[in-house]
Amino acid sequence: MTKIPTQGETKVSPWVKLQTGLLAGILALLLALTLVIGLGARRVEKGFQLVQTELEALEMDEINRAVTALKQAAEELAAVDAEGLNETAQSLKAAANSLANVDVDTLNGAITSLKEAADTLKSMDMEALNNVVQSLNKAVTSLQKVSDTISGIFH
């Protein structure tokens, strides 16, 4: 039995009702999506602000000191007598080989090689080598501070 609309009533098609219901559902989904995106954007913004604060706290002076210390270490390493170190190593190797086959003549040769190695070590600039070690120590200390600051950003 179908109802006949009276003078103030109009008949609504079931398709119109379905369409209205679907539109209401889509509107509700859009509102929920907008809310989720808004909350996510606020979290991202807070994260960016935290990273910016940490980057501003990173002291460029520390980085510059580390770079300067590394430059000094590189310059002093360039001044080290690498050839003298190689000659010393070769002399010590020859001395060790000679000691393996101990006889009086070989022992005398080993003593001569050790004397040559000692003479080579005397002629090396030990102060320059010590300066290189100190510069590297400064560089490592400065880089450790920078590394600690940078790692603090991501914790």
Side-chain angles (χ1 to χ4, degrees):
M1 235 168 121
T2 58
K3 183 177 176 186
I4 299 174
T6 59
Q7 194 171 9
E9 296 180 18
T10 57
K11 185 174 181 182
V12 177
S13 166
W15 292 110
V16 172
K17 289 180 182 181
L18 179 64
Q19 184 180 14
T20 304
L22 289 175
L23 284 175
I26 290 173
L27 180 61
L29 285 174
L30 283 176
L31 287 174
L33 183 63
T34 303
L35 181 65
V36 169
I37 289 174
L39 291 175
R42 288 182 70 193
R43 286 185 189 144
V44 169
E45 183 181 351
K46 286 180 182 180
F48 282 141
Q49 287 174 351
L50 178 62
V51 169
Q52 182 180 3
T53 303
E54 291 293 329
L55 285 175
E56 288 171 357
L58 180 65
E59 294 184 24
M60 292 306 290
D61 290 339
E62 290 293 328
I63 293 173
N64 290 336
R65 275 185 252 152
V67 168
T68 302
L70 283 174
K71 272 187 188 177
Q72 288 175 351
E75 290 169 0
E76 291 177 11
L77 270 174
V80 170
D81 184 15
E83 188 175 317
L85 285 174
N86 287 334
E87 288 175 12
T88 301
Q90 292 299 326
S91 296
L92 289 173
K93 184 177 179 183
N97 288 337
S98 296
L99 286 174
N101 304 320
V102 175
D103 65 337
V104 175
D105 292 332
T106 306
L107 186 57
N108 288 335
I111 291 171
T112 304
S113 294
L114 285 172
K115 283 183 182 178
E116 290 173 3
D119 290 338
T120 304
L121 284 173
K122 283 181 187 176
S123 67
M124 283 185 56
D125 186 7
M126 294 307 266
E127 185 176 327
L129 191 58
N130 286 336
N131 288 340
V132 169
V133 171
Q134 289 175 352
S135 293
L136 285 173
N137 190 26
K138 289 178 187 176
V140 167
T141 302
S142 296
L143 285 174
Q144 182 63 43
K145 290 178 183 176
V146 170
S147 174
D148 291 344
T149 302
I150 290 173
S151 67
I153 292 173
F154 300 102
H155 287 285

